[in-house]
Amino acid sequence: MLAATALSLALALAPPTAPPALKPCKGESDCISSNGLEAPNHFQAPLAFSPKTRDKAFADAARLLRDECTAVDDGATYLQARCDGDVVELLLREDVATFRVAALQKGITPPWCVEKNCINGSMGQRKRILKLGERLG
């Protein structure tokens, strides 16, 4: 609860500064990232946005996240949003968007899957980022 309050304050006070890279999940439950060093159950490929320019992709991503979430950005390459219990970070590179999606409240990840094409754990976060990727084109 304290972390959620701190994030709400941070989102309300100032735009974030783009980090050089997003932090890894480091074994957190309910977290996925486009960091290629993640374990398979925490990895999802970066989102491509070609043939759009980075500026157009950024504007589209900001609009899409603001439609569904509380989002702030640095105005150029970095977005941070709070969406239904998840913190979504998006960092745009030249032709891909790297990301990290982590739950604010960590749950118990079952050691099995019940959905088709499921990768153990973090399915809610995967669905969120894949939906964003589809809408970005």
Side-chain angles (χ1 to χ4, degrees):
M1 181 68 176
L2 186 57
T5 304
L7 177 62
S8 295
L9 270 172
L11 289 173
L13 294 177
T17 302
L22 300 176
K23 72 178 189 173
C25 290
K26 292 185 183 173
E28 292 179 46
S29 63
D30 302 329
C31 177
I32 62 165
S33 168
S34 58
N35 182 334
L37 300 176
E38 296 288 359
N41 62 326
H42 292 290
F43 176 76
Q44 183 73 39
L47 305 174
F49 53 80
S50 193
K52 297 178 183 180
T53 66
R54 186 169 70 180
D55 293 340
K56 173 93 170 86
F58 181 82
D60 288 349
R63 180 180 43 79
L64 293 170
L65 283 172
R66 285 192 184 104
D67 286 349
E68 300 176 8
C69 311
T70 303
V72 294
D73 62 75
D74 72 353
T77 60
Y78 179 67
L79 290 159
Q80 185 180 51
R82 183 172 174 191
C83 309
D84 298 328
D86 290 335
V87 174
V88 178
E89 293 179 275
L90 200 62
L91 182 62
L92 275 67
R93 302 292 186 198
E94 291 306 315
D95 60 349
V96 296
T98 59
F99 61 84
R100 181 177 191 273
V101 184
L104 288 170
Q105 297 283 328
K106 307 302 180 201
I108 297 172
T109 303
W112 64 85
C113 291
V114 293
E115 296 180 38
K116 185 177 180 181
N117 299 323
C118 172
I119 297 175
N120 184 17
S122 308
M123 284 308 293
Q125 287 79 21
R126 286 181 194 283
K127 288 177 183 175
R128 178 179 306 288
I129 204 69
L130 290 174
K131 180 180 171 186
L132 178 64
E134 287 173 8
R135 292 178 68 191
L136 279 177

